[in-house]
């Protein structure tokens, strides 16, 4: 099965908040080019709260986010 990456840029983030909570894993790319990967626990217009694979909680202000990336299974 193939996968597709869905990229949501900071300017469109508010439109996709409910859909992001449904994803198993997301990658948050910060403006500093640091990437944090994990499961979103809470999203709001001001910040994203993520739980990484080591069970550490990260709270990221939306102003620091460049984009959020998640994978979906391709239909082929």
């Amino acid at each position: 099965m193939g996968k597709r990456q869905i990229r949501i840029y900071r300017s469109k983030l508010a439109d996709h908040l409910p859909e992001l909570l449904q994803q198993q894993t997301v990658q948050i790319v910060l403006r500093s080019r640091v990437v944090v990967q994990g499961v979103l626990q809470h999203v709001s217009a001001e910040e994203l709260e993520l739980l990484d694979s080591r069970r550490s909680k990260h709270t990221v202000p939306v102003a620091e986010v460049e984009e959020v990336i998640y994978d979906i299974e391709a239909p082929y």
Side-chain angles (χ1 to χ4, degrees):
M1 295 271 171
K3 292 196 178 215
R4 298 272 189 245
Q5 282 188 336
I6 305 298
R7 295 173 174 261
I8 302 171
Y9 295 97
R10 178 185 34 207
S11 60
K12 306 271 188 200
L13 200 56
D15 300 335
H16 296 276
L17 294 180
E19 140 190 0
L20 288 174
L21 279 173
Q22 297 175 2
Q23 304 309 314
Q24 286 187 350
T25 304
V26 298
Q27 297 173 348
I28 300 175
V29 181
L30 303 179
R31 296 178 83 183
S32 62
R33 297 296 182 206
V34 171
V35 178
V36 183
Q37 180 174 331
V39 179
L40 283 175
Q41 299 292 305
H42 175 73
V43 294
S44 70
E46 295 83 32
E47 64 185 19
L48 305 174
E49 188 176 289
L50 180 114
L51 193 63
D52 68 14
S53 60
R54 295 182 179 171
R55 310 292 291 165
S56 297
K57 188 186 294 186
H58 301 271
T59 303
V60 181
V62 170
E64 292 182 19
V65 174
E66 184 69 31
E67 65 182 332
V68 177
I69 303 170
Y70 66 90
D71 295 331
I72 59 169
E73 201 169 297
Y76 56 89

